Amino acid sequence: VELTLGRVMACAAVGAAGSVGSYVAWPGLVGPHAPRATAHTVQGVLTVLTFVQSVMWMDLAAGELVGLFAAIGRISGMSESLLGATVFAWGISVGDMVSDTTVARSGHAATAVAACFGGPMFNLLMGLAMGLVVATGANGTV
């Protein structure tokens, strides 16, 4: 994945359109004196625009991180796939750690301990199962 001027411009264009559209449309279309149907429609459009913009920014950031780790792997002589899998696993685990810590601090220690084992096991089993389903669908029996 490569950072191109087109990708950056697309992200900037969607962001600018959302910002300008929100600023211009908010008082007249969503404000207290706006018709209810119009306000509902505008909120729906802005929600979709925000979702598209978020996906574009995540794609851009993910592409840059992949490029960064590929460069680190080449420079240090490490296997790019090993480095990518390690960083990917760490990134997935941080969210689990934060949520498990929050659950434990709220007084549900047994649930947090179960989630420590259940979350990674679910990710492993579903990831393996989906990979095998795709491989079987593409190549027949594995």
Side-chain angles (χ1 to χ4, degrees):
V1 178
E2 184 177 326
L3 178 65
T4 61
L5 183 59
R7 289 179 71 190
V8 172
M9 293 304 290
C11 289
V14 171
S19 297
V20 170
S22 298
Y23 183 76
V24 171
W26 194 263
L29 298 176
V30 186
H33 304 296
R36 194 173 212 34
T38 304
H40 230 15
T41 302
V42 170
Q43 287 175 349
V45 168
L46 291 178
T47 300
V48 169
L49 188 63
T50 302
F51 176 75
V52 169
Q53 181 182 4
S54 299
V55 169
M56 291 178 78
W57 280 114
M58 285 187 282
D59 176 55
L60 185 71
E64 285 304 301
L65 286 173
V66 167
L68 172 72
F69 289 119
I72 289 172
R74 284 188 204 117
I75 291 169
S76 66
M78 292 176 64
S79 166
E80 292 178 20
S81 59
L82 175 66
L83 185 62
T86 304
V87 172
F88 182 65
W90 183 81
I92 290 174
S93 298
V94 169
D96 286 341
M97 181 191 70
V98 170
S99 64
D100 294 344
T101 303
T102 303
V103 169
R105 286 185 178 172
S106 68
H108 304 286
T111 304
V113 170
C116 286
F117 295 103
M121 184 175 288
F122 176 79
N123 291 341
L124 175 71
L125 294 176
M126 285 305 295
L128 184 61
M130 293 312 257
L132 289 173
V133 166
V134 169
T136 302
N139 304 322
T141 57
V142 178

